[in-house]
Structures are given as structure tokens and as C-alpha cells.
Amino acid sequence: GDLVAFGAYRVTGEVSRLAVQPGTTTSRADSVSDDGGVITGYDQGEIIDPEFGSYEGRRVCVWTNGVQTLIDALSGFAGTYPVNGAGTVIAGSPSAGFCQATFGIGEAQLVRWVRQGDDSWTPEALGRPVDYFDGVEVKPLMGIQPLAVSDDGGTIVGTASYGNDFFDQVSRAFIWRASVNEGVPVDLGAYVETLGGGIVEPGVTLTAARGLSADGNAVTVSLTDARTTC
């Protein structure tokens, strides 16, 4: 059945449907700023793909003080695009088609949308993690899923998948910060190793980033340990 994005406000007791484009019956809300004024999600509508033409798909959107803005109507798929607590930065990974049309870059990127004074949103391409060498072969990047943004918008963490197909893929946590890796997203485990001090024991892999503190200095992760099958 159809999904409907709505907001529920404890102070007023109000529950209201979030406005969508005319003719749209499906929408979903995923992430919300601390004050509730900015909500990210998607609706279902027409996608004009530069290569494949028109079709129905998920269009990434943001509701800013109740007003909907489509920030990616070219990709046709959508997961959670997190917004920071301050409601000023959204992180996502749109399709190569979006990146080509918007930035002239023909591959998927980590993208940061920054809120402007008039409540419009300006996208910035931040690059992508390099392909992953697993000790035997280089696995190409398959996808990027940002999961959290710090309050100042200066740190983004998430999970990248690598491989040649679904059964071959591996997952690794990544981090983006302007002061890290010359401002290009990097494998979180590789970055932590550069800090020294035995922070991560041998055989332990950071497979996914799960959360980020408001100040961007603490990350929760999922781990695998090669020393055990548990």
C-alpha cells in the first residue's frame, strides 16, 4: 500500500501529513532535525533519467518548515538521507546520472546539501572512497550510504559496499571530513590506523558506521573479528 509521510508534534498534539507534489500518493519521512523543522525522505513520482527517459521512482526530498523541495529527482531510488541536528546539512549518495547532470562527474559521489538563507538547498560533491583491496583483489565501489552528519555539517560517516556483484560484496565504514584525506571520503578503518596507538586490534574490521555524536568526534560502528566466527 501507499506510504504517507507525516509529522507528529508533542507540544501541540498535532499530527499532520507532509505536503507533496500534485498527483503524488506515496511519501516517506526518514530523518528529522533537532527542532523538527527539517525532515528528509522521498516521494514517488516521475523521474526523467538522462539515459533511460521517464519512469516512476523515488525522488529524494526535504520538508523545510513544512515546504517540500525535491533535491534529487534524477536517481529513482532512495534510502535514508540523514540531516544534521541543526537542520542545515543533508548527506546523500545520488546516482551517477544525477552527479553527471549536476556536477559533470560521471560516477556516484558522496553529496552534501547545504541550506541557504532562503531555505533552498545547494548540493556539493565530496568525492568517493577509493576501490577496496581485500588482500587478494581490488573490489570496485558499488554504493555509498551516509548515515549520520555532525551538527556543524563538517563530519559525515556511513557505509560503503564493494564488489563485483551482490554475492561478492563487502562492507566498510567510511568517514568524510575536510581535514581528513584532503577532503575526500576515506575508509574509516584505514584512517584510524593512521592515528596509531593500536586503536583497532589486528583482525578487526570496521564494517559499518552506525552513528555519530553531535560534535563529530565519536562514531559507533559494527565490527567483525577474524579470530572468531561468533
Side-chain angles (χ1 to χ4, degrees), residues 131-154:
D131 295 340
Y132 175 63
F133 179 62
D134 65 1
V136 178
E137 63 177 347
V138 175
K139 293 183 180 294
L141 180 69
M142 295 178 67
I144 313 168
Q145 183 184 11
L147 294 171
V149 187
S150 62
D151 267 5
D152 66 359

Side-chain angles (χ1 to χ4, degrees), residues 103-214:
F103 310 115
I105 302 172
E107 60 181 5
Q109 301 277 300
L110 176 66
V111 174
R112 181 175 69 163
W113 283 265
V114 178
R115 185 177 175 179
Q116 305 301 309
D118 60 356
D119 286 343
S120 63
W121 296 83
T122 300
E124 303 174 345
L126 302 179
R128 45 149 283 182
V130 298
D131 295 340
Y132 175 63
F133 179 62
D134 65 1
V136 178
E137 63 177 347
V138 175
K139 293 183 180 294
L141 180 69
M142 295 178 67
I144 313 168
Q145 183 184 11
L147 294 171
V149 187
S150 62
D151 267 5
D152 66 359
T155 304
I156 300 170
V157 296
T159 303
S161 58
Y162 304 86
N164 296 295
D165 55 49
F166 176 81
F167 300 100
D168 177 55
Q169 67 179 314
V170 297
S171 296
R172 301 278 298 186
F174 75 84
I175 186 170
W176 173 85
R177 201 179 241 180
S179 60
V180 173
N181 194 40
E182 299 182 343
V184 177
V186 64
D187 182 274
L188 180 59
Y191 168 61
V192 168
E193 287 180 6
T194 69
L195 303 178
I199 297 173
V200 179
E201 295 184 11
V204 173
T205 300
L206 310 187
T207 56
R210 298 299 183 186
L212 180 68
S213 61

